[in-house]
Amino acid sequence: MSDRIIPEATKRRMPIYYKYFKSQQEAGTKRVSSKSISDSLDIDSATIRRDFSYFGELGRKGYGYNIDSLVDFFSEQIFGKTVKKVAIIGVGNLGSALLRYNFGGNVSNSMQLVAGFDIDETVIGKTIGNCVVYNMDELNHIVKEKNINIAILTVPKESAEEAKIAIENAGIHGIMNFAPVKLTGHEGLVIHDVDITLELQSLCFNMKLSRGE
Amino acid sequence: MSDRIIPEATKRRMPIYYKYFKSQQEAGTKRVSSKSISDSLDIDSATIRRDFSYFGELGRKGYGYNIDSLVDFFSEQIFGKTVKKVAIIGVGNLGSALLRYNFGGNVSNSMQLVAGFDIDETVIGKTIGNCVVYNMDELNHIVKEKNINIAILTVPKESAEEAKIAIENAGIHGIMNFAPVKLTGHEGLVIHDVDITLELQSLCFNMKLSRGE
DNA sequence: ATACTTATGCGACATTAAGCACTATTTGTG
DNA sequence: CACAAATAGTGCTTAATGTCGCATAAGTAT
Ligand SMILES: NC(=O)c1ccc[n+]([C@@H]2O[C@H](COP(=O)([O-])OP(=O)(O)OC[C@H]3O[C@@H](n4cnc5c(N)ncnc54)[C@H](O)[C@@H]3O)[C@@H](O)[C@H]2O)c1
Ligand SMILES: NC(=O)c1ccc[n+]([C@@H]2O[C@H](COP(=O)([O-])OP(=O)(O)OC[C@H]3O[C@@H](n4cnc5c(N)ncnc54)[C@H](O)[C@@H]3O)[C@@H](O)[C@H]2O)c1
């Protein structure tokens, strides 16, 4: 059943599964069952088995799933075979927080923060976290040199469109956009928006619904 | 049809609609139709009409929807009648970025960042953005004084559980959690997790699917 | 006024996702 | 080695979500 028609709902759960597998692996767990995953993630066990079945037969009847195999398999599904190299575009408040954070060190075997870029002379040349902040002029060149695949866009909304074009031209195909503007790119550019005010509104609405209040 | 049985899928779209209405209102738009919303948000126009219909008859046939009414109506649905007061718990890299950002000033008629809290003497007493950073000891007292409804939790993962308990005890019912740990609270505490590494994985997976790559 | 256009709200239908329940298989144990 | 326990994988049922089509009301132009 591994012909590439993976339902949207399954796609959405992939990162959630992966996060769980990693945390279990770190905790020393060797095997899991659809039941044990279900208990932790609050997803029906049948849904979990069905989700996995789209990728082939990942488990063994009567035993469950081996955690190391799951991590390896999902890692390749999500990231591919090579480590993804990530750059921060716009090293201001949020960009520098992300550089210092460096994903909490957690994801470093599949994703790596490798550079920052800005137009402000006062940050260019600095090293934040363990990344150098380069001038935007150097984007093309450094992207090739360091094999950067993904850009995290943390510039003011006014500059977002301009920065997006630079990113696209440098040959990067994935953008995680924190600026509160709608960006569209050429066919083949994948843009993922993260909007913190949207998340807060979502929280407010859930509070309203669950508590009247 | 305004008996409170709003489908999950509709709930998820509420903040997206609201964001769009606000942006249109700011741009001076006076009316919209399900068709025009559909074109911008890439949600089927029938889905939009159906979503709105759960809240009653918001539009007029042959005319569409009045933007100001929509903004007012959705604002009350999402936030309620009073402005939501928000505090940042843990004023480190991310917490201080959020304080300086202050939601880009956008949401200030429905949400307001009013204070920061920390345990580190070197930040306590400072003013960041336009908020004072208080000692965590003062949480109970300031929450009452300023009528704080929501906490944004940006402490290290090791302190998250402890901070959650303090927040809960102070009488706050909504937490937006940035720490990469699973928090659970009493009945009536609404927790919304934001995990940036999860979002990045989601981006990677979409790149993989859409580009083979 | 009258005809024509626009666009809602809603019932009916279609698609997608979730969950049940059964089968087949492996595990682990005595 | 035999057998009970565990658990994956899946056909089928049910629930949730999305879409179509149209009657109807409102707006617009002549
Ligand atoms: N700070 C937050 O907590 C926060 C939260 C959510 C969203 N955001 C969004 O993230 C973005 C950044 O926010 P911030 O508070 O870090 O802003 P900031 O002003 O502190 O930082 C922006 C940085 O981008 C740089 N920049 C400007 N134009 C550029 C360009 N064309 N190319 C490269 N770099 C450029 C600036 O020099 C600056 O260093 C904004 O769009 C904001 O709406 C911020
Ligand atoms: N920095 C980022 O870009 C980023 C991105 C995603 C998630 N996160 C998560 O957000 C959290 C904060 O990250 P950070 O980089 O800002 O860390 P940080 O260490 O810079 O800041 C944490 C702050 O919390 C304070 N603190 C510690 N214990 C506390 C307590 N019990 N009560 C109140 N304050 C307390 C510390 O004094 C410090 O000021 C972490 O859990 C991290 O995993 C950070």
Side-chain angles (χ1 to χ4, degrees), chain A residues 97-98 101, chain B residues 89-95 117-120 136 154-157 159 162 178-180 196:
Chain A
L98 290 167
Y101 179 54
Chain B
I89 315 295
V91 184
N93 291 317
L94 184 57
F117 292 90
D118 209 299
I119 50 168
D120 180 350
M136 276 297 276
T154 48
V155 300
K157 61 172 182 287
S159 316
E162 176 194 336
F178 280 91
I196 290 166

Side-chain angles (χ1 to χ4, degrees), chain A residues 14 18 21-22 68-82 109-111, chain B residues 204-205 208:
Chain A
M14 293 288 289
Y18 182 69
F21 300 154
K22 287 284 280 190
D68 294 335
S69 323
L70 281 179
V71 168
D72 290 350
F73 185 85
F74 274 70
S75 173
E76 182 165 339
Q77 291 302 312
I78 294 172
F79 301 106
K81 283 185 214 300
T82 56
N109 32 7
S110 31
M111 281 194 297
Chain B
C204 284
F205 192 46
K208 190 98 186 315

Side-chain angles (χ1 to χ4, degrees), chain B residues 1-185:
Chain B
M1 231 204 220
S2 72
D3 41 358
R4 308 255 105 185
I5 326 147
I6 297 158
E8 288 307 316
T10 301
K11 288 183 200 169
R12 278 197 299 272
R13 284 186 290 267
M14 293 290 288
I16 298 168
Y17 291 137
Y18 182 68
K19 178 184 177 179
Y20 176 72
F21 301 153
K22 287 285 278 189
S23 77
Q24 287 301 297
Q25 189 182 47
E26 264 156 46
T29 307
K30 290 293 169 219
R31 56 187 258 197
V32 291
S33 67
S34 56
K35 177 68 168 49
S36 70
I37 304 171
S38 173
D39 290 342
S40 300
L41 298 183
D42 204 36
I43 299 170
D44 190 277
S45 68
T47 301
I48 294 168
R49 290 197 298 279
R50 161 91 70 225
D51 280 347
F52 292 6
S53 78
Y54 293 114
F55 298 96
E57 311 210 344
L58 269 41
R60 279 147 63 201
K61 298 183 183 185
Y63 172 88
Y65 305 87
N66 177 281
I67 257 291
D68 294 337
S69 324
L70 281 180
V71 168
D72 290 349
F73 185 85
F74 274 69
S75 172
E76 183 165 340
Q77 290 302 313
I78 293 173
F79 302 107
K81 282 184 216 301
T82 57
V83 177
K84 294 285 175 216
K85 307 292 184 68
V86 183
I88 303 278
I89 315 295
V91 184
N93 291 317
L94 184 57
S96 60
L98 290 167
L99 275 175
R100 284 194 204 92
Y101 179 53
N102 198 9
F103 311 145
N106 278 336
V107 246
S108 46
N109 32 6
S110 30
M111 281 193 298
Q112 230 180 312
L113 215 42
V114 296
F117 292 90
D118 209 299
I119 50 168
D120 180 350
E121 293 297 339
T122 63
V123 288
I124 293 169
K126 285 196 178 154
T127 299
I128 300 183
N130 50 14
C131 295
V132 176
V133 180
Y134 298 94
N135 193 307
M136 276 297 276
D137 295 346
E138 297 197 74
L139 188 65
N140 279 347
H141 149 238
I142 305 278
V143 162
K144 285 211 189 69
E145 184 179 304
K146 291 192 187 275
N147 243 292
I148 295 172
N149 317 96
I150 291 174
I152 297 182
L153 186 54
T154 48
V155 300
K157 61 172 182 287
E158 298 74 25
S159 316
E161 183 64 29
E162 176 194 336
K164 185 213 70 185
I165 293 168
I167 291 165
E168 204 163 25
N169 289 341
I172 290 176
H173 301 297
I175 297 179
M176 176 139 122
N177 172 39
F178 280 91
V181 288
K182 189 175 167 107
L183 300 177
T184 43

